[in-house]
Amino acid sequence: RTWRSCWAWRLPSRCSAAPCLSATGVHGILLAHADTPGAVRAFIEASRFPVHKQGLGKDLPEGRRGAHGTPMAAAIWGVTPNEYVQKADAWPLNPNGELVLGLKLEDKWAIQNADEILKVPGIAFVEWGPGDNALSHGLQDTPGAAQNHPTMRAARNKVFAATKVWTDGRQAGIE
């Protein structure tokens, strides 16, 4: 398959643009500064059409994405609008979904909440952001702190340990 769309887009935290970005035909969205489970649930909810029921329950409400942009996004994906609605859902939450939603844990608040954040269903991958993490820990003036400071090594290890709840092939990455 030839992908004619942008693969992914970085979305600032506390931003409600996920449905608008999805309508442009992207195949993935990265939520930056994902620092609370509630923010992550809102991100997943905003990215999903209400017709998708996988994972609904206590931890995940019904999707709130509307039909806006579906014809354009479908054309970019090379499918009909109905096929697009079926395919444009969060993988691996929906095994047939082709929308990849990721998180960037890049501050002390995200690290503090990493275990709970990564239990939210619908996330395909997580990245560790050492530069912003060092800054949020007040280590910006320490040479090499982003990779070598004990606080940063502990934070990185916490992110990777939190991904151990994933047993379905999803990955954690380092920048």
Side-chain angles (χ1 to χ4, degrees), residues 34-37 104-119 128 133 136-137 151 154-159 162:
D35 55 11
T36 68
K104 190 145 190 173
L105 303 184
E106 54 187 338
D107 58 41
K108 61 186 174 186
W109 302 280
I111 300 305
Q112 180 181 356
N113 295 320
D115 292 325
E116 293 305 312
I117 288 170
L118 296 180
K119 288 178 185 174
W128 146 260
N133 257 296
S136 79
H137 283 90
T151 299
R156 180 180 60 229
N157 291 340
K158 183 168 183 181
V159 171

Side-chain angles (χ1 to χ4, degrees), residues 80-100:
T80 68
N82 190 44
E83 289 171 318
Y84 175 78
V85 168
Q86 294 308 311
K87 292 175 181 274
D89 194 24
W91 176 91
L93 183 61
N94 178 346
N96 297 317
E98 295 186 19
L99 186 59
V100 179

Side-chain angles (χ1 to χ4, degrees), residues 20-138:
C20 296
L21 285 174
S22 298
T24 66
V26 298
H27 284 88
I29 304 172
L30 174 68
L31 180 64
H33 290 279
D35 55 11
T36 68
V40 173
R41 277 190 291 280
F43 169 56
I44 301 296
E45 178 184 346
S47 300
R48 297 186 79 199
F49 290 111
V51 297
H52 297 290
K53 304 301 181 190
Q54 297 89 339
L56 297 185
K58 177 183 168 206
D59 290 332
L60 196 63
E62 182 176 77
R64 296 181 53 108
R65 183 175 169 195
H68 169 75
T70 298
M72 182 175 79
I76 291 169
W77 280 31
V79 297
T80 68
N82 190 44
E83 289 171 318
Y84 175 78
V85 168
Q86 294 308 311
K87 292 175 181 274
D89 194 24
W91 176 91
L93 183 61
N94 178 346
N96 297 317
E98 295 186 19
L99 186 59
V100 179
L101 303 176
L103 305 176
K104 190 145 190 173
L105 303 184
E106 54 187 338
D107 58 41
K108 61 186 174 186
W109 302 280
I111 300 305
Q112 180 181 356
N113 295 320
D115 292 325
E116 293 305 312
I117 288 170
L118 296 180
K119 288 178 185 174
V120 176
I123 297 301
F125 69 96
V126 61
E127 292 182 0
W128 146 260
D132 284 348
N133 257 296
L135 185 63
S136 79
H137 283 90

